[in-house]
């Protein structure tokens, strides 16, 4: 799960998906990162921590890190939150296999529409609730699609 700072959107995507697969018979390795490095080492944004907590999910074990090329080797699927993240990750791809791993996460719930998860950093708490709901839906679709395959 990749966004810009790895403190608002991708920690929620990471935490929600991890919470949902916990207890299912799945050995998925889930992680998140940011295309930027400014927040490396930091906890998720307090507003992301709060909305996750309100839904029963603890994301305080997460620390921000920057996406790195080796992540293409460690993961089968790389979900970007918006087109800017998507393009930034694709630019790091070394070959077509790497490129093919990168997806826009909302294409799971809105196939082919190339919708973005809006960056909530400069907005209010409503933005975080919206992000949570979008990611809740998208992660349900990811599990439905991949669980049986
Ligand atoms: P995120 O949100 O990409 O969802 O983690 C942002 C966090 C920090 C900044 C921008 C977006 N920033 O400019 O520091």
């Amino acid at each position: 799960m990749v966004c810009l700072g790895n403190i608002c959107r991708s920690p929620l995507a990471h935490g929600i998906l991890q919470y949902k697969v916990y207890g299912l018979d799945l050995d998925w390795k889930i992680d998140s990162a940011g295309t930027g490095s400014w927040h490396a080492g930091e906890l998720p944004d307090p507003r992301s921590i709060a909305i996750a907590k309100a839904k029963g999910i603890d994301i305080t074990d997460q620390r921000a890190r920057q996406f790195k090329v080796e992540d293409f080797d460690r993961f089968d699927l790389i979900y970007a939150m918006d087109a800017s993240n998507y393009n930034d990750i694709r630019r790091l791809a070394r070959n077509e296999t790497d490129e093919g791993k990168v997806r826009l996460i909302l294409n799971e719930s809105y196939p082919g529409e190339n919708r973005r998860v809006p960056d909530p950093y400069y907005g209010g708490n409503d933005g975080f609730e919206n992000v949570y709901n979008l990611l809740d839906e998208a992660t349900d679709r990811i599990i439905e699609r991949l669980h049986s395959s």
Side-chain angles (χ1 to χ4, degrees):
M1 300 297 187
V2 182
C3 61
L4 176 60
N6 192 209
I7 55 169
C8 297
R9 293 167 291 177
S10 59
L12 280 173
H14 172 178
I16 295 167
L17 186 59
Q18 191 153 277
Y19 178 81
K20 287 177 180 176
V21 306
Y22 187 79
L24 297 174
D25 188 19
L26 296 173
D27 63 350
W28 295 1
K29 180 174 65 180
I30 299 157
D31 199 3
S32 61
T35 56
S37 62
W38 316 281
H39 295 281
E42 293 179 15
L43 277 162
D45 187 284
R47 297 164 294 179
S48 286
I49 292 175
I51 187 74
K53 189 176 177 197
K55 310 286 184 178
I57 303 176
D58 180 7
I59 60 169
T60 60
D61 58 335
Q62 294 188 37
R63 295 296 179 274
R65 71 174 180 90
Q66 186 173 27
F67 182 85
K68 51 185 188 295
V69 169
E70 299 80 59
D71 287 317
F72 286 115
D73 299 322
R74 295 176 58 219
F75 298 96
D76 299 316
L77 288 169
I78 296 164
Y79 285 106
M81 300 295 127
D82 65 30
S84 154
N85 314 146
Y86 178 88
N87 291 327
D88 287 344
I89 302 163
R90 297 250 312 188
R91 264 196 288 277
L92 296 173
R94 300 159 298 186
N95 50 48
E96 286 182 5
T97 305
D98 289 356
E99 276 181 9
K101 293 182 174 185
V102 191
R103 314 282 162 85
L104 270 177
I105 191 167
L106 291 194
N107 278 348
E108 292 285 347
S109 26
Y110 302 94
E113 295 189 21
N114 295 336
R115 293 196 194 192
R116 69 194 169 102
V117 181
D119 183 348
Y121 187 62
Y122 292 107
N125 289 333
D126 286 2
F128 284 79
E129 177 103 38
N130 180 45
V131 166
Y132 186 93
N133 291 334
L134 290 170
L135 294 174
D136 190 25
E137 191 181 15
T139 51
D140 276 347
R141 298 291 95 73
I142 290 170
I143 290 172
E144 276 170 20
R145 194 166 66 77
L146 298 179
H147 190 190
S148 52
S149 63

